[in-house]
Amino acid sequence: MALGKIENKGTPGIPDVGMMKITDKGAYPFAEMGYSSSLVKNEPCISISYPESLNQTLPTLRLGSIAEVKNEYGFIRSTCKMEPGDSGGPLFDYYGRVIGLHSAIDVSEEMNFEIPVDLYRRYWTALNSERLYTAFPEKKDSVKTDPLSLLLQKESKQKALHPDFVVTGIKNSCFAIKSVIKGQNQKINACLLNIKTPSGAQKQFLLSKNTMVGEEVQCDINGTTVPVKLIAKDEENDLVLFALERQINGGIDLNIADTDTVKINMGKLLYSVDPAGKVIRSVLGSTQFNLPKINSQPYLGAMVVYNSSPVLFSLIKADSPAEKAGIKVGDELISINGKLIKKASEFAPEILKYWAGDEVTFEWTNASGKMNKTFKLDGRGQSVFNHPAEKFEGGKSERRDGFNAIFTHDAAIKANACGSPVFDWEGSFYGINIARFSRTTTIVVQKKTIIEFVLKTIQ
């Protein structure tokens, strides 16, 4: 049931506050309210959120700090990144108490604004009335002193609350790869892996993001450009494996016989490394899950008549791969890559087996007779929205879904800096940054999947 709401239309930048009441009887879990008045700048804070874009049943976890205890508009500003779908979610202090509610963001990933929990304490009585307030109510409740206030002040000065983790360095774990995609120069990162084959031989590979590697591939190794040789691709996991012409000192030792893979536990502290050796800290934000192919669906630009058998084309979009291939409305589809398509319900599932850039052969008939054409499917491209959540530096990865057995973390890895390795603070290899999914989320293909790919390749 909706209760009171404070919404000052004259000053829309001021936090808007509202309350609801659960009317069904029952024992519900709850979080303790903290005190926003006792916050300290740089104090660690934790966020859990249900971003609708990931469509998961469990929230993702993010770690940050208090950047401003109270800004000019009355908001807390934190570095726990937010995106659409998070609004109304909780911001916790490091004691697990709610200190604010997610409200708004700006373009910078450091600009995340929270409604202070003390506003609810101050106007608790007023908000229990079913009323819309156009200004802060005159009736105020007493906001007591936080019983942990002195402790928070003391702990904020202790190094234990701001630990300088000693990163277990792995020399030469990440390199930059250069290639050409559609006539444009492209850079992406890659992990250097040291593999012991079943025969006992030692081999060295570069592992990277397949859709960000094109032709004329070269690796930048300590300022020297070294050609590399393509070994294998894994389209399902967007992985590509290369061999180097010469051995390099360092790299990640990957035991392909290792069945004791790392555990994907939310809250685990992680770090990524770029080619310059820069460390990017993060927190493991999810359990393992599958991410369906939605944004990464291939684009044909054709539709078929519902329930038709034989299958007839009903719509061909201008300048689409289908139109360029010569397919027209009313034409009868026979097969895709040799697979007979006998009824309309078989058409979409068959197309979804492919990826953007895949080459397909269509066979169809029209008034002129039987036609046969091989062509490439396009990508669907990025949707453009005028929202701060879509304007973060580097943007989203073009291929960012259609993965199985992945996990997320909150590192701000740029789309063109994926391919870099992910470790925990003990130096255990966790996987490869495969895609920047959104403002808050980078996706990791985990170690187990990489081992399976490498093992299949060298066997």
Side-chain angles (χ1 to χ4, degrees):
M1 179 178 74
L3 296 176
K5 183 179 181 181
I6 305 171
E7 187 176 284
N8 193 335
K9 296 186 183 299
T11 54
I14 300 297
D16 57 323
V17 178
M19 284 213 318
M20 293 185 291
K21 182 179 181 180
I22 299 173
T23 56
D24 288 349
K25 292 183 178 180
Y28 297 98
F30 64 92
E32 180 186 352
M33 290 173 66
Y35 295 80
S36 46
S37 59
S38 60
L39 294 176
V40 179
K41 187 176 180 180
N42 296 326
E43 173 186 327
C45 55
I46 303 162
S47 164
I48 60 170
S49 303
Y50 286 87
E52 55 194 1
S53 54
L54 269 176
N55 195 28
Q56 294 300 304
T57 56
L58 291 175
T60 56
L61 178 68
R62 298 151 207 173
L63 185 63
S65 61
I66 302 298
E68 289 181 89
V69 172
K70 187 177 181 181
N71 74 359
E72 59 181 313
Y73 299 105
F75 288 97
I76 300 166
R77 181 169 70 85
S78 83
T79 62
C80 282
K81 293 189 284 293
M82 289 190 282
E83 63 186 0
D86 291 349
S87 296
L91 182 73
F92 299 96
D93 64 12
Y94 58 94
Y95 278 95
R97 305 179 303 173
V98 177
I99 52 174
L101 271 72
H102 302 325
S103 181
I105 62 172
D106 208 335
V107 173
S108 168
E109 291 157 82
E110 301 293 301
M111 296 297 209
N112 306 277
F113 305 107
E114 324 279 350
I115 302 169
V117 74
D118 281 359
L119 288 178
Y120 293 89
R121 290 186 175 277
R122 184 172 295 117
Y123 300 110
W124 190 266
T125 300
L127 288 169
N128 268 276
S129 300
E130 296 176 46
R131 180 178 169 185
L132 173 63
Y133 299 93
T134 56
F136 286 120
E138 293 183 7
K139 172 64 178 175
K140 296 181 182 179
D141 299 320
S142 173
V143 179
K144 298 178 182 179
T145 302
D146 184 356
L148 298 181
S149 179
L150 293 178
L151 183 61
L152 292 171
Q153 296 281 343
K154 180 181 178 181
E155 289 181 338
S156 68
K157 299 175 183 178
Q158 295 178 356
K159 189 175 181 180
L161 198 61
H162 311 280
D164 183 14
F165 292 101
V166 178
V167 174
T168 305
I170 296 179
K171 184 181 178 183
N172 290 335
S173 63
C174 185
F175 292 95
I177 281 182
K178 303 174 184 176
S179 64
V180 177
I181 299 179
K182 296 180 180 179
Q184 300 292 319
N185 292 329
Q186 177 65 61
K187 272 190 177 183
I188 194 69
N189 292 335
C191 301
L192 180 63
L193 303 177
N194 301 316
I195 309 292
K196 186 175 182 179
T197 67
S199 64
Q202 294 283 350
K203 291 194 175 183
Q204 204 167 51
F205 299 100
L206 281 172
L207 179 74
S208 190
K209 180 176 173 66
N210 179 50
T211 51
M212 292 287 281
V213 178
E215 301 172 343
E216 303 174 31
V217 185
Q218 297 177 324
C219 182
D220 186 3
I221 299 176
N222 302 326
T224 303
T225 299
V226 178
V228 296
K229 178 183 177 183
L230 174 65
I231 300 298
K233 294 182 178 182
D234 178 358
E235 275 194 315
E236 293 299 312
N237 296 297
D238 203 15
L239 299 173
V240 61
L241 202 63
F242 295 98
L244 287 160
E245 286 191 348
R246 61 181 174 86
Q247 196 79 6
I248 300 171
N249 291 328
I252 303 161
D253 294 329
L254 188 67
N255 183 1
I256 58 175
D258 187 4
T259 56
D260 183 23
T261 54
V262 293
K263 294 181 179 179
I264 310 303
N265 293 328
M266 291 177 67
K268 182 80 173 178
L269 293 174
L270 305 174
Y271 71 92
S272 302
V273 179
D274 72 4
K278 179 183 176 182
V279 171
I280 303 164
R281 295 169 171 81
S282 64
V283 66
L284 204 160
S286 73
T287 56
Q288 177 183 297
F289 67 99
N290 300 332
L291 194 56
K293 185 194 292 186
I294 298 175
N295 296 295
S296 301
Q297 291 179 9
Y299 176 65
L300 172 66
M303 296 178 66
V304 298
V305 176
Y306 175 73
N307 231 16
S308 58
S309 181
V311 182
L312 302 176
F313 287 101
S314 62
L315 174 68
I316 305 297
K317 293 189 176 181
D319 204 34
S320 67
E323 185 193 56
K324 292 175 182 177
I327 302 172
K328 294 181 172 56
V329 172
D331 289 356
E332 178 186 321
L333 177 62
I334 299 174
S335 68
I336 301 174
N337 279 355
K339 179 177 174 56
L340 296 177
I341 307 298
K342 296 180 179 180
K343 50 187 178 181
S345 60
E346 298 173 343
F347 173 71
E350 187 62 26
I351 291 295
L352 286 176
K353 292 179 181 178
Y354 300 98
W355 300 92
D358 279 354
E359 200 168 68
V360 292
T361 299
F362 270 58
E363 189 176 19
W364 72 97
T365 60
N366 57 24
S368 302
K370 186 177 288 188
M371 311 296 291
N372 187 292
K373 189 70 177 284
T374 299
F375 57 93
K376 286 186 177 182
L377 297 169
D378 278 348
R380 293 183 174 270
Q382 300 274 13
S383 299
V384 179
F385 300 98
N386 189 28
H387 190 283
E390 303 294 325
K391 298 179 180 179
F392 60 91
E393 188 177 0
K396 299 176 182 178
S397 295
E398 189 169 336
R399 163 77 194 277
R400 61 184 184 275
D401 58 18
F403 299 104
N404 293 322
I406 56 165
F407 67 86
T408 71
H409 63 143
D410 64 350
I413 305 295
K414 294 179 183 177
N416 63 359
C418 287
S420 54
V422 181
F423 305 94
D424 68 8
W425 288 100
E426 288 74 44
S428 297
F429 177 57
Y430 263 63
I432 180 174
N433 288 309
I434 203 65
R436 182 67 181 270
F437 185 82
S438 66
R439 185 179 191 266
T440 67
T441 304
T442 294
I443 294 168
V444 178
V445 168
Q446 60 176 303
K447 175 183 172 183
K448 180 181 178 182
T449 303
I450 294 168
I451 289 175
E452 290 170 354
F453 172 45
V454 173
L455 190 58
K456 182 180 177 180
T457 300
I458 64 176
Q459 285 180 336

